Amino acid sequence: MQTQVMENNSKGKGHVPTKMDQCIQNCLNCFRVCEQTLAEALYGNSQNFSQALILIKSCAEICHTSAKFMMMNSAFHVDTCGICAKVCIECADTCESLGDENLRECIEACRACAKSCNEMSKMSH
C-alpha cells in the first residue's frame, strides 16, 4: 500500500526527470522483490541461508529509502543511491553464488537497481 502511494506521488506535481523516475521505479521494484524473496524463504519455500536473508532485507530497506529520498527531491538522494548501488551489487552477487533459481528475479532486480542508482549517485547535490 505504501509503495503504491509513493509510486503515485512520483508522477504528480513537480515530476522528477526521466532517469530519476526510472531509478525510483527500479528501487521500488527491488524493494518489493527482496521483501517477497525474504518472505518466501522464511516460510520455507526456499533454502534458508541466514546471511543471504539478512543481506536481502538490507537491500530491500536501502532501496525503499533511496526511492523515498528521490521522491522527496532530497539533495541526499545522491548519497543514499550510492549506498544503495553497493548493497544491491553485494546482494545480487551473494544470491547468484547460492545457485538457487528461485533467486533469479531478486538478482535481476538488484542489478537493474544498482545500475540506475549508480547513475543517480554521480549527480551533484
Side-chain angles (χ1 to χ4, degrees):
M1 179 71 176
Q2 184 180 5
T3 302
Q4 185 62 39
V5 170
M6 286 188 281
E7 287 173 355
N8 292 339
N9 288 343
S10 72
K11 294 177 172 71
K13 186 175 160 185
H15 184 64
V16 293
T18 305
K19 281 188 177 185
M20 186 180 287
D21 191 47
Q22 184 60 52
C23 190
I24 290 167
Q25 292 306 310
N26 286 341
C27 284
L28 289 173
N29 183 57
C30 193
F31 166 73
R32 179 188 59 77
V33 171
C34 285
E35 286 287 334
Q36 287 174 337
T37 301
L38 183 62
E40 288 172 7
L42 292 174
Y43 288 110
N45 294 333
S46 184
Q47 294 180 351
N48 186 6
F49 300 104
S50 60
Q51 289 301 92
L53 296 178
I54 291 168
L55 185 55
I56 291 168
K57 181 63 175 170
S58 298
C59 187
E61 292 301 325
I62 192 63
C63 288
H64 195 224
T65 298
S66 291
K68 289 191 297 187
F69 272 56
M70 287 183 280
M71 284 185 258
M72 294 184 298
N73 290 318
S74 169
F76 296 105
H77 84 272
V78 173
D79 302 310
T80 59
C81 282
I83 297 298
C84 187
K86 290 177 184 178
V87 174
C88 283
I89 289 168
E90 183 70 24
C91 187
D93 289 348
T94 298
C95 287
E96 197 164 54
S97 74
L98 297 174
D100 186 342
E101 193 53 40
N102 293 320
L103 298 174
R104 178 62 37 210
E105 185 179 10
C106 186
I107 294 164
E108 291 170 2
C110 286
R111 297 226 187 273
C113 187
K115 182 179 178 186
S116 58
C117 275
N118 190 44
E119 284 183 32
M120 289 294 110
S121 73
K122 294 178 180 164
M123 295 178 73
S124 61
H125 279 272

